Amino acid sequence: SSDLTQPPSVSVSPGQTATITCSGNEVGKTFASWYQQRPGQSPEMVIYQDKQRPSGIPGRFSGSKSGNTATLTITGTQAMDEGDYFCQAWNSDTVSFVFGTGTKVTVL
Amino acid sequence: HLQLQESGPGLVKPSETLSLTCAVSGDSVSSTSFYWGWIRQPPGKGLEWIGSIYYGGTTYYNPSLKSRVTIFVDTSKNQFSLNLTSVTAADTAVYYCVARWGTFDPWGQGTLVTVAS
């Protein structure tokens, strides 16, 4: 199954906004989820069903979708937000879950 | 509070079978509320969904791995397991067990499995 397309890296200054996109036909057909993976740790879900935030996830994380592109926005980025971010969706053609290629967020 | 913990050999020889177990705490593996699954991540690379199972035994596998994968539940031990046959170096990865369907949460800490002779 093909991966969803994400930018390889995003750099942001502390307190500024980081925007990560995720593109693919699957995104337009079903819900997208987003996962944060801090260095050396397991991934953690930060957004589900395109824009829902799990309990315990800070309000600076938000999700949206337009057409075949989902977007994760981190408003007021903090140093602790550094890490890799992966989107994920369901591929109804192959009947399988697919992940994005991953985006490394660096807080300068 | 649902928690997952992987266990299994860290080294497997080529052509052999990789077997991992995920211990579930904080809920029952027979719960109708959850799907249970496995995801892997080769060193320095992205995530790949391996497959998932529902409490009744219904399984869903990644088509690219389907011929080699089996996921099953052991209710007596409150755990679920992964078998991956005929492994090669390309199967070297950190293997994570996860809960839920499509909104994978939580994740286990992950276990590195290296395929080498």
Side-chain angles (χ1 to χ4, degrees):
Chain A
S1 56
S2 299
D3 291 341
L4 303 173
T5 301
Q6 297 180 233
S9 62
V10 167
S11 297
V12 60
S13 300
Q16 298 304 302
T17 297
T19 301
I20 305 167
T21 57
C22 169
S23 300
N25 291 334
E26 299 89 338
V27 173
K29 297 178 183 178
T30 186
F31 287 123
S33 299
W34 288 91
Y35 302 87
Q36 173 195 60
Q37 186 176 30
R38 293 191 175 107
Q41 296 189 17
S42 303
E44 178 184 17
M45 187 173 64
V46 294
I47 293 290
Y48 67 99
Q49 293 182 0
D50 294 340
K51 58 183 181 181
Q52 303 301 319
R53 198 171 53 250
S55 61
I57 299 301
R60 62 181 180 272
F61 289 90
S62 63
S64 62
K65 190 169 76 176
S66 177
N68 291 346
T69 299
T71 301
L72 174 68
T73 303
I74 312 172
T75 305
T77 307
Q78 300 181 9
M80 65 185 300
D81 299 330
E82 278 201 337
D84 296 319
Y85 290 80
F86 297 92
C87 60
Q88 169 252 310
W90 172 254
N91 185 318
S92 56
D93 294 330
T94 59
V95 193
S96 64
F97 291 106
V98 290
F99 285 92
T101 49
T103 299
K104 183 177 184 63
V105 170
T106 301
V107 182
L108 301 172
Chain B
H1 179 56
L2 182 63
Q3 291 184 300
L4 308 176
Q5 177 68 60
E6 305 89 349
S7 62
L11 181 64
V12 180
K13 290 182 170 56
S15 80
E16 296 190 343
T17 296
L18 180 160
S19 296
L20 296 174
T21 295
C22 182
V24 178
S25 59
D27 211 314
S28 170
V29 75
S30 299
S31 171
T32 59
S33 299
F34 296 104
Y35 284 76
W36 311 103
W38 292 92
I39 291 169
R40 70 181 183 178
Q41 183 174 34
K45 296 188 178 181
L47 301 168
E48 181 180 35
W49 175 72
I50 299 171
S52 298
I53 186 169
Y54 192 48
Y55 87 103
T58 304
T59 52
Y60 306 83
Y61 297 135
N62 188 319
S64 67
L65 299 169
K66 188 173 183 177
S67 64
R68 299 194 291 129
V69 172
T70 304
I71 297 175
F72 57 96
V73 168
D74 186 340
T75 56
S76 67
K77 296 182 179 179
N78 209 41
Q79 64 187 31
F80 60 102
S81 299
L82 167 71
N83 282 347
L84 181 66
T85 62
S86 304
V87 298
T88 69
D91 295 310
T92 293
V94 175
Y95 286 75
Y96 297 99
C97 57
V98 296
R100 296 192 172 88
W101 177 259
T103 54
F104 302 118
D105 176 64
W107 296 56
Q109 67 179 25
T111 186
L112 174 62
V113 179
T114 302
V115 178
S117 53

